Amino acid sequence: MRVIIAEDSALLRDGLRRLLVDEGYTVVDAVGDGAALVESVSRHVPDLVVADVRMPPTHSDEGLRAAVEIRRRWPSIGVLMLSQYVEQRYAVDLLTGHGTRVGYLLKDRVADVGEFLEALARVGAGGTAFDPEVVRQLLRRTTHTDPLTRLTGRERDVLDAMAQGHNNASIAARLHVSQSAVEKHVRSIFDKLGLADAEGYSRRVLAVLRYLGE
């Protein structure tokens, strides 16, 4: 799988390159700012992009804005954001644009290399990977909406896990409940959010995130 890395820290950029090469990925380029990332993607058209959010020249949200542009111009390219910050505005644009092959992890909360590689593989395979804190902040952004206030505490736990990209079996294991109980909660969530017609793992995440982004 062909990957481009965008990270302004030369040390971390080189570390990511070595890690991914050791794991069998082909790193076709590694750049240090958002403009260079878009230009590199245009030249190489990789399968995946791993990008920091804050990069030169302003160190605000250049990486995330570049990722949104990449998803708009090349929607088949997977994007995994790896950052210390949750930039809510453009995060919503990124997550609600196409809903699959996308992820957002917080650097300080990635517990180990295996967790990062598992998330990268999931995004590369067409799935999603979101840090729970990212999901919590995006959910908090929309708590003023009436439908969300109708969810029970357990339904909100399930919605958190759904938005992170977990399937029903994984959610059941995380919450120590049966899979049938999770399925019941999912049906209730879709009913309360007006998403009863949404089917399938990827589409349900897309539908929920799109709703939350409104």
Side-chain angles (χ1 to χ4, degrees):
M1 188 165 288
R2 301 168 70 251
V3 182
I4 291 178
I5 298 167
E7 167 61 57
D8 61 309
S9 166
L11 188 62
L12 182 54
R13 187 168 66 238
D14 188 58
L16 283 170
R17 181 204 292 269
R18 291 171 185 267
L19 172 64
L20 296 187
V21 169
D22 287 346
E23 292 296 323
Y25 290 91
T26 300
V27 178
V28 296
D29 202 2
V31 300
D33 62 71
L37 171 59
V38 175
E39 193 278 332
S40 182
V41 167
S42 177
R43 186 169 64 253
H44 297 289
V45 191
D47 302 300
L48 275 171
V49 166
V50 179
D52 193 2
V53 168
R54 296 185 176 183
M55 291 193 289
T58 69
H59 295 278
S60 55
D61 52 19
E62 287 85 351
L64 192 50
R65 285 190 283 117
V68 171
E69 181 177 351
I70 290 166
R71 294 286 288 175
R72 179 181 61 80
R73 295 172 61 182
W74 301 279
S76 65
I77 296 176
V79 172
L80 177 63
M81 304 306 300
L82 187 60
S83 176
Q84 293 178 297
Y85 311 97
V86 181
E87 296 291 346
Q88 294 193 10
R89 176 186 174 191
Y90 288 106
V92 170
D93 290 345
L94 177 67
L95 304 184
T96 59
H98 294 277
T100 59
R101 297 179 66 83
V102 65
Y104 197 132
L105 302 180
L106 296 180
K107 290 177 180 177
D108 293 342
R109 291 170 49 86
V110 176
D112 54 44
V113 172
E115 182 180 332
F116 166 71
L117 292 173
E118 190 278 331
L120 184 63
R122 197 190 314 169
V123 172
T128 57
F130 302 115
D131 186 288
E133 180 59 26
V134 174
V135 174
R136 272 193 288 272
Q137 291 199 29
L138 294 179
L139 284 171
R140 192 158 52 235
R141 177 179 180 270
T142 61
T143 52
H144 62 284
T145 56
D146 290 337
L148 283 174
T149 62
R150 297 172 56 198
L151 301 184
T152 66
R154 180 57 83 187
E155 288 167 350
R156 186 172 287 273
D157 291 339
V158 172
L159 179 58
D160 271 344
M162 286 169 51
Q164 292 169 44
H166 294 284
N167 59 25
N168 288 354
S170 176
I171 294 172
R174 291 168 64 87
L175 299 182
H176 306 291
V177 299
S178 68
Q179 188 168 330
S180 62
V182 173
E183 292 168 353
K184 180 180 178 181
H185 288 310
V186 170
R187 287 195 297 271
S188 179
I189 290 168
F190 284 152
D191 287 344
K192 290 181 178 178
L193 299 186
L195 300 168
D197 293 332
E199 296 178 353
Y201 162 73
S202 296
R203 282 192 292 178
R204 75 178 191 173
V205 174
L206 171 62
V208 171
L209 289 177
R210 180 170 295 154
Y211 177 84
L212 295 175
E214 291 177 352

